[in-house]
Amino acid sequence: MTSPSSESVLITVAGKDQPGITSRFTGLLAEAGAALLDVEQVVVRGRLTLCLLARLSGDTGAVLEPLVAAAKTLGVTLDVEPVTAPASVDGEGSRFVVTAVGRALGAGELHALTQVLAAHGAHVERITRTSEPHLGAVDIHLALAAGQAPDALKQALLELSMKSGGFDVALQRESLFRRGKRMVVMDMDSTLIRIEVIDELARAHGVGEQVAAITERAMQGEMDYDESLRQRVALLAGLDESVVHQLAANLPLTEGAETLVRALKRLGCRTAVISGGFSVAAEALKTRLGIDVAHSNVLEVKDGKLTGRTVGAIVNARRKAELLASLAQAEGILLDQVVAVGDGANDLLMLERAGLGIAFRAKPKLRAAADTSISAGGLDTILFLLGLTGRELQELG
């Protein structure tokens, strides 16, 4: 085969992995004066696949002959295919990463996931297992056609995740900041811990049903958050302060909370709790987990008893977003580098303000509004969303 002009070919080498394969083929291409346009190599269970996109000039057959001989010597297969320029999918914001995390991802889960991607015209460029040692997490790098909005794909992935119940799926833009997060801000009740502190205090004080009724009215939009908090706290008047401290000392952590915070600290990432809950619990968690900052509502105490009032500004939805922004500014961190995690409607503004907003085991409304959602896994699932791999997490201990 000869060609008087340059020709682009995709050279695929496959077989048992051994040292020197890549060196041998790239060396032969260099000797022939070929221009290497792209390269990709993967080894799965000792089996190598090496793809080299090269532009050949002159006598193509003369260039390929030594490659064929090298393949025979090394005991690998060689496939050469002429390549025309692919349809462009370049453009601002066209590249994304889909991260799937579950207890186990099998053929059925990946089939369902890739079906959704295909139905929305996503061009899959690379799939990488990120978990160790089993197939529990993958990153799928893909491109959308220029001008194609990702919203429909995001919604379809969310529906798939909720339908399956066994794995979480996140869609993120592939950008500098995906692996460059420097602060993670978390809600406390039903996010960092498995309970709602105010509900537990109400039960201990014998007003559980009354507090629950007010919470329900607030959820139905019959009163705003501030008023609902005032009414619920008022019902706690007379509760012994020691009950609050005892509860704070034994808070049940959400699955993966310790792993998440420990890993973030070792990576030098700042951590914060911004909660509409109470400071006694938030400060206890701050000390217990080594969290950097905690902001929450302060219960007023007089003569060892709760007065039924709070002290200072109420940490509501707007205040949460303001605190997140002020913390980032104080640390010199861009909002694109901030992750916010929450479960309730009063977390929405905070999640919107952050570069990555994660709805954690949340109601449908918040899941739909957030950048991504976690429902099946624990808080440590967030580490995979930040681009970390199982091997890197093992290095972190």
Side-chain angles (χ1 to χ4, degrees), residues 204-217:
H205 199 45
V207 293
E209 292 185 3
Q210 295 96 307
V211 166
I214 296 171
T215 300
E216 180 61 25
R217 287 185 62 197

Side-chain angles (χ1 to χ4, degrees), residues 58-322:
D59 187 344
T60 304
V63 176
L64 295 178
E65 186 176 341
L67 274 68
V68 173
K72 185 175 181 181
T73 300
L74 293 168
V76 296
T77 63
L78 181 75
D79 180 74
V80 180
E81 177 185 357
V83 174
T84 57
S88 175
V89 292
D90 290 335
E92 186 176 356
S94 65
R95 279 179 165 75
F96 295 83
V97 179
V98 169
T99 301
V101 185
R103 304 298 180 189
L105 296 175
E109 287 79 9
L110 290 182
H111 169 66
L113 178 54
T114 51
Q115 265 194 321
V116 170
L117 297 180
H120 286 78
H123 175 74
V124 176
E125 298 179 335
R126 186 170 75 256
I127 301 177
T128 307
R129 174 172 61 90
T130 56
S131 56
E132 292 286 346
H134 305 297
L135 185 62
V138 296
D139 276 348
I140 302 177
H141 297 256
L142 56 88
L144 298 178
Q148 183 177 352
D151 296 349
L153 176 57
K154 172 193 164 184
Q155 183 60 35
L157 291 173
L158 174 61
E159 291 173 1
L160 172 64
S161 174
M162 297 310 300
K163 181 180 178 180
S164 73
F167 65 99
D168 293 304
V169 185
L171 176 70
Q172 298 182 69
R173 291 188 182 274
E174 179 63 286
S175 72
L176 171 66
F177 297 115
R178 189 173 81 90
R179 286 178 59 93
K181 296 295 189 288
R182 294 179 54 199
M183 177 181 289
V184 176
V185 175
M186 296 164 282
D187 177 43
M188 179 174 67
D189 297 73
S190 297
T191 300
L192 194 55
I193 59 176
R194 300 195 306 269
I195 62 171
E196 294 283 335
V197 170
I198 194 167
D199 290 344
E200 299 301 317
L201 295 178
R203 276 191 280 271
H205 199 45
V207 293
E209 292 185 3
Q210 295 96 307
V211 166
I214 296 171
T215 300
E216 180 61 25
R217 287 185 62 197
M219 291 178 64
Q220 295 299 327
E222 297 177 12
M223 68 173 69
D224 67 16
Y225 178 82
D226 290 16
E227 180 59 26
S228 72
L229 181 69
R230 292 189 190 97
Q231 291 191 18
R232 286 178 290 173
V233 170
L235 290 169
L236 300 178
L239 179 64
D240 198 293
E241 181 185 16
S242 64
V243 176
V244 185
H245 287 282
Q246 183 179 2
L247 178 64
N250 297 281
L251 295 170
L253 295 175
T254 298
E255 173 193 3
E258 289 178 292
T259 300
L260 172 65
V261 176
R262 181 172 61 248
L264 293 173
K265 286 173 63 65
R266 292 183 178 178
L267 289 168
C269 189
R270 300 287 287 175
T271 55
V273 170
I274 299 181
S275 170
F278 303 126
S279 61
V280 175
E283 291 297 328
L285 284 175
K286 179 174 177 287
T287 301
R288 179 177 171 183
L289 296 176
I291 292 170
D292 296 305
V293 182
H295 289 284
S296 55
N297 294 306
V298 179
L299 292 168
E300 185 182 65
V301 178
K302 187 174 181 180
D303 298 329
K305 305 284 186 179
L306 301 189
T307 66
R309 295 184 295 272
T310 59
V311 179
I314 290 177
V315 180
N316 54 23
R318 188 171 300 279
R319 181 62 178 155
K320 283 189 171 190
E322 291 171 350

